[in-house]
Amino acid sequence: MGEAVMSSADQYAPLRGRPYLKLLVLAALLGVPIAAASYWFLQLITLIQKWVYTDLPRGLGLGREPLWWPLVPLLVAGLVVGLAIRYLPGRGGESPAEGFHAGGVTRPEALPGVALAALAGIGLGVVIGPEAPLIALGGGLAYLAVWLRRRNVPERAGAVVAASGSFAAVSTLLGSPLAGAFLLLEASGLGGATAAAVLVPGLLAAGTGSLIFIGLDSLTGHGTFSLVIPHLPPAHRPTIAQFLWALAIGLAAGVLCWALRRLALLLRTRAERRVLASTMLAGAVTAAIAIGYAAVTGRSSSDLLFSGQFGLPKLLTDSAGYSVPALVLLIIGKGIAYCLALSAFRGGPTFPAIFIGAAGGVALSHLTGLPLVTAAAMGIGAMIAGMLKLPLSAVLLTTLLLGANGLTVLPLVIVSAVVAYVLSIRLTPPPDVPATQRAPAGGAAGGATPAADHGR
């Protein structure tokens, strides 16, 4: 018993040392420039989108965006991203087809490729989010700052510094240090003393960084990045019927998330054989889907393009302007474009999943009399949990999105998110285990072999 208590206490010994205090000071200092860089990176993406889809057509004398226009920027996006993946170090970042990941260190030589692939893909209309590149760039910039002073950075210290930079960067996007920390910790799977060692400097970097992007808001007038959707109607207390809807929505979202990931992985296998041709083809098909949606519904192609981060408030506040057939076309088209982006481009999977879940909720509210905010909340929570496989983050992000309504619909969001998560996990086959790690079919009576133990 005494040994166990001592061992438990010793887990936190590194946190009491002077090197850890120095690490905290470094994290606080790094949070400032990384938050500023993240703020301007997100602003640059927004400016590229506005310039390409609004200012450029007008400057060319075409007036409003012509119906065929998405084909131009999306072909350019495919070309630039394909070149970045094919020729630049780091292959433009991790493929989002595997889902949301945290942890790891982006090496300095990979930073230009990650930034270029994100700016081209997200800025030019690909259905992918900015959170994964931000996490990679924030962590890579933090590591680069330490590496420039000391080339032989210890592995553990480098990982903690990189995590602090990622915390500061993603908190700029989410508008909340707590939300960013929660998302990264659940995705990394850390716990106990290890989680504390990473969490404290990460929170400190995110906290100091938040002061920077709040200050930049007042100085520039561009505004901060906030998840809260304004001007939503009030939500009402949950009913038994709505709990049954939460089960149904969770089941539907679980199947849909499994199908989207399955298709994305299947397409990625083929895309990796001829990267440049695949990214350009994915861009062209995405443009064709957006053009078809705009032609059939009479709505803007921007409904279907982009991550959905900035289109979500309009979808919910102008829900009466969307007919049920238009919403069904939007969900199908956005889902296919999402799969193409996951398979061939670089970015994060979070915001398109949020948008698709919200669109499904809006469609249900038209058909069944289910309250709009309640239906959208269940759809959002279920899609985040099913696509990211992070049920706690799904509940937190949905609550933040809905502001004052979040706590009212929280029980329903929990039910839909948990059902979608469990079903998505059950439908996903386990990863292949190398033959050297598999347990023998007929083990000896004396117990498992070391290889069998490792395989478990």
Side-chain angles (χ1 to χ4, degrees):
M1 178 70 72
E3 291 179 358
V5 172
M6 181 64 72
S7 174
S8 177
D10 286 344
Q11 293 179 9
Y12 296 93
L15 278 65
R16 293 189 289 270
R18 181 174 294 179
Y20 191 72
L21 294 177
K22 293 181 179 179
L23 192 60
L24 290 178
V25 174
L26 178 62
L29 294 174
L30 288 174
V32 173
I34 289 173
S38 301
Y39 180 91
W40 288 113
F41 182 78
L42 292 171
Q43 289 293 349
L44 180 57
I45 288 176
T46 304
L47 290 173
I48 291 173
Q49 292 174 347
K50 180 179 180 298
W51 181 76
V52 169
Y53 283 89
T54 302
D55 298 341
L56 185 57
R58 291 176 180 172
L60 294 174
L62 300 174
R64 294 182 59 187
E65 175 193 323
L67 185 66
W68 52 266
W69 182 257
L71 187 62
V72 177
L74 285 164
L75 279 175
V76 175
L79 174 63
V80 175
V81 174
L83 290 173
I85 295 172
R86 179 68 178 85
Y87 295 107
L88 293 181
R91 295 178 57 82
E94 291 189 356
S95 168
E98 298 286 355
F100 183 83
H101 296 286
V105 178
T106 304
R107 304 295 300 181
E109 61 271 16
L111 291 174
V114 173
L116 180 61
L119 288 173
I122 303 168
L124 296 179
V126 175
V127 183
I128 203 74
E131 70 279 5
L134 265 186
I135 290 169
L137 291 170
L141 288 173
Y143 181 85
L144 175 62
V146 177
W147 181 81
L148 289 174
R149 289 194 59 190
R150 181 182 178 184
R151 297 303 173 94
N152 56 338
V153 181
E155 181 178 353
R156 182 180 177 86
V160 174
V161 167
S164 299
S166 296
F167 273 60
V170 78
S171 295
T172 307
L173 172 65
L174 301 181
S176 167
L178 183 59
F182 203 93
L183 179 68
L184 291 180
L185 276 183
E186 188 181 14
S188 65
L190 298 176
T194 304
V198 175
L199 175 62
V200 175
L203 276 176
L204 191 57
T208 56
S210 67
L211 299 176
I212 298 304
F213 61 76
I214 290 172
L216 287 172
D217 169 39
S218 62
L219 289 174
T220 65
H222 288 306
T224 56
F225 295 91
S226 173
L227 286 184
V228 180
I229 302 172
H231 312 305
L232 289 177
H236 302 288
R237 294 179 60 184
T239 64
I240 297 299
Q242 290 171 10
F243 273 100
L244 296 177
W245 271 112
L247 292 172
I249 290 172
L251 290 171
V255 174
L256 177 59
C257 291
W258 169 80
L260 290 172
R261 286 198 310 271
R262 183 82 172 177
L263 178 58
L265 289 170
L266 182 65
L267 292 174
R268 188 185 68 171
T269 301
R270 288 158 174 75
E272 288 177 341
R273 298 172 186 169
R274 299 184 64 185
V275 171
L276 187 56
S278 297
T279 52
M280 294 190 68
L281 178 61
V285 174
T286 299
I289 295 171
I291 292 168
Y293 167 81
V296 172
T297 64
R299 301 193 63 89
S300 171
S301 62
S302 62
D303 284 355
L304 194 140
L305 299 176
F306 310 109
S307 69
Q309 178 186 357
F310 298 112
L312 181 61
K314 180 183 176 183
L315 172 69
L316 294 180
T317 56
D318 187 32
S319 60
Y322 291 84
S323 66
V324 173
L327 288 167
V328 172
L329 285 176
L330 178 59
I331 294 168
I332 294 172
K334 193 97 171 179
I336 296 173
Y338 184 30
C339 287
L340 292 170
L342 292 174
S343 66
F345 289 92
R346 296 294 186 261
T350 306
F351 287 100
I354 290 174
F355 188 93
I356 292 171
V362 172
L364 283 177
S365 72
H366 279 284
L367 292 171
T368 64
L370 193 64
L372 170 69
V373 174
T374 303
M378 292 188 287
I380 291 169
M383 286 299 297
I384 298 175
M387 287 303 298
L388 273 62
K389 299 182 182 178
L390 303 174
L392 295 177
S393 295
V395 173
L396 176 62
L397 291 176
T398 305
T399 304
L400 290 176
L401 278 166
L402 300 178
N405 289 320
L407 292 179
T408 304
V409 298
L410 181 60
L412 300 173
V413 174
I414 291 174
V415 172
S416 64
V418 168
V419 171
Y421 170 73
V422 173
L423 181 58
S424 177
I425 293 294
R426 288 188 64 85
L427 290 174
T428 303
D432 292 332
V433 178
T436 57
Q437 297 182 5
R438 295 174 185 162
T449 64
D453 284 340
H454 184 67
R456 292 177 188 172

